[in-house]
Structure formats: structure tokens, C-alpha cells
Amino acid sequence: MKDEKYAEYLDDLADKHTERLIIALQSLEDRIAAYLIDAPETAGELFDLEWAINARSELRSIIREEFLGDVRSLIREYPEVEGELLAMLNQYGSFTKLPAETITALQRLSFQGFEAIATTHLDTFAQEIYQYTLTGRSKADMVKRIRQSINGVYAQADQAKIKQLVEVANFGSEAASKRAIEELHKVYSADKLGNNMRRYATVYAQDSIMQFNAQAVVAHGKQAGIQKWKYYGDVINDSRPFCAEHAGKTFTTDEIYALWESDWKGKA
């Protein structure tokens, strides 16, 4: 397999995984909403703090089944990536398959990223439910809020307004930034960066495959005793300056570590 074909394969797989994850998140939203509909209420208002506290455990189970279950299914396909990678690398020399334990470790690393997203949003959902119950607010509003926190309201929302609010949140005065963040939360169910669980998860679905590939490339290279690496990729109009400057060039391992420490310190 040629380099270009392999790059196309990775992009196509990432797109397919993203689509499958979107379906899983829609199912997650419906399951959680169905559970919340049964919350104890009086005249449409929430009141049962014990129920609100115990909701976290039920939400954790739903997320594990509807979201992380599908994530596991996606990650089980990652060894196929290593197989395609090996076919591509063998056009340059003789490479051997990575040990099974290495593949398993890389899969586990990918899963941990999705787990972090799930944990973060579980905390958000549980806190929302407790606050709505503590203040005796509308159950219907709570269900709507949690639904929007999972998949957002982008089909109905004004994208230009979201972008404007994000700019104010990031660069406005302290008071203006606070107001913008509150509106992003209340009106658009978005955080300071205009994101929700769907946004984080689908972006990571793409990043996870690319990171698995990159780590497998490094593992293959180290296994073969390679010490020089080519920065591969096309330069397009919106390429980062770093990418445009280094694309197509070859670096030693030590040079790469030095570059990363100076320009990309803290990045994966």
C-alpha cells in the first residue's frame, strides 16, 4: 500500500468511527432522558435529593453501556490499522508485526481518552441533576438541559452567535466574559469553547485513530532500530506554520524531542 492510500484509509476509518459514535451518543441521550423522565416530582418540580444523589450511579451504568460499550467496539478494530500500516511500511524494507501486548497497550491508552470524556460529562450531568433538584426547578427543563449537554442544539442554534460568544468569553472583560459563558451554558448548552459531549467525543474519535497510528509507527521504528523519521503530510492553505516548515523533512529522534520541547511542549 502506498503512503497516499494509507493516509486515505486512515481518514476513511476515522470518518466511519465518528459516524458510529454519533449514533451511540444519540442512543445515550435517549436512554438518559428516559431515565430522567421518571424522576420524582411535585407539580412538575423536582424535590427528591436522595434520588438526585443516587442518579449518578445509574447514569454511570448507562454511559458504560451506551457510550463506552461502542467505544470498545471501535477500539477492537485498531489492530486492523497496524496490519495496514505494516503493509505500507514493508514497501520500504522488512518490518515484522508488533507484539500483541504492544497493540493491547496502545488500545488501552486510546480507551483511557474516551473514559476521561465519559467521566467528565458524568460529573457534569450529576451536578446538573443535583442543582435542579436542590432548587426545585422544572423536570422538563432538566431533561432538556441534559439532552443538550450530550449532543448540543446545533441544528437549531445560531452558529454565528455561538462564535461571537466564544470570542467574548475568551477575550472580553471579566464581566463580559462571565455573561458570555453563562449564555453559552444556558441558551446553547455549550462550554467556553462552544463544545459539548458530542463535540469532544467525535473529535477524539478522529484523534484517537491518528494517535494510535503514530504510536504504532514509532513502535515499528524502534523495533527495527530506526533513528531517523520523516515528517509526513501535505501542506495546504490552513496548515499550521510548524507543519508547513517541517513537512517532508527528516529528523533524528533527538532532534524531534528537542523540537517538541520547544514548540509543542505538553502536547501528545
Side-chain angles (χ1 to χ4, degrees), residues 7-268:
E8 290 175 8
Y9 160 76
L10 285 178
D11 288 338
D12 183 58
L13 183 62
D15 288 343
K16 289 177 179 177
H17 279 198
T18 299
E19 290 172 5
R20 287 163 59 182
L21 204 54
I22 287 171
I23 294 172
L25 287 165
Q26 290 170 341
S27 180
L28 173 67
E29 179 185 323
D30 291 341
R31 276 280 307 276
I32 289 180
Y35 169 71
L36 297 179
I37 286 295
D38 291 331
E41 62 177 326
T42 299
E45 295 180 351
L46 300 159
F47 70 90
D48 192 334
L49 287 177
E50 183 178 358
W51 179 91
I53 292 170
N54 292 334
R56 173 186 286 271
S57 178
E58 185 64 28
L59 292 180
R60 183 183 294 109
S61 295
I62 294 173
I63 291 173
R64 187 182 301 121
E65 293 171 11
E66 298 292 344
F67 177 66
L68 292 178
D70 280 83
V71 166
R72 287 189 180 91
S73 177
L74 298 180
I75 290 178
R76 278 196 290 269
E77 297 179 6
Y78 282 19
E80 298 175 14
V81 173
E82 198 268 336
E84 297 291 339
L85 171 62
L86 185 59
M88 186 272 288
L89 290 175
N90 277 331
Q91 69 181 308
Y92 298 109
S94 181
F95 291 82
T96 58
K97 192 171 180 63
L98 293 176
E101 57 268 25
T102 299
I103 298 297
T104 299
L106 293 180
Q107 288 175 287
R108 187 178 299 115
L109 191 62
S110 296
F111 183 75
Q112 288 171 354
F114 285 107
E115 261 190 329
I117 293 171
T119 299
T120 296
H121 286 84
L122 170 62
D123 291 342
T124 298
F125 303 154
Q127 184 66 21
E128 290 281 356
I129 290 168
Y130 185 79
Q131 289 180 356
Y132 267 79
T133 305
L134 182 65
T135 55
R137 296 167 66 184
S138 162
K139 179 166 73 173
D141 287 347
M142 177 190 70
V143 174
K144 180 180 178 182
R145 167 65 177 160
I146 299 298
R147 276 186 176 274
Q148 293 173 345
S149 295
I150 297 171
N151 283 308
V153 289
Y154 290 110
Q156 296 81 28
D158 181 345
Q159 290 289 331
K161 181 63 175 176
I162 286 182
K163 291 180 180 179
Q164 180 184 357
L165 288 169
V166 169
E167 287 298 310
V168 174
N170 284 326
F171 304 111
S173 65
E174 183 176 351
S177 176
K178 182 178 179 180
R179 288 194 300 271
I181 292 171
E182 288 176 354
E183 187 170 355
L184 282 167
H185 277 296
K186 293 178 181 179
V187 180
Y188 296 104
S189 187
D191 66 12
K192 187 176 179 181
L193 298 178
N195 296 329
N196 47 52
M197 186 175 182
R198 173 172 170 171
R199 177 61 177 162
Y200 283 112
T202 53
V203 167
Y204 189 71
Q206 299 266 339
D207 290 348
S208 178
I209 288 176
M210 300 307 172
Q211 289 174 11
F212 177 90
N213 166 71
Q215 291 156 352
V217 168
V218 172
H220 270 295
K222 289 187 174 180
Q223 185 172 271
I226 287 172
Q227 285 297 315
K228 291 186 177 181
W229 313 81
K230 181 179 179 181
Y231 194 100
Y232 178 82
D234 294 328
V235 176
I236 56 179
N237 289 335
D238 60 352
S239 291
R240 295 184 179 92
F242 181 92
C243 299
E245 179 183 352
H246 297 92
K249 296 180 180 178
T250 300
F251 303 92
T252 65
T253 301
D254 289 342
E255 287 171 337
I256 289 172
Y257 282 129
L259 279 171
W260 222 253
E261 280 298 302
S262 60
D263 292 296
W264 291 79
K265 191 171 184 178
K267 304 290 185 182

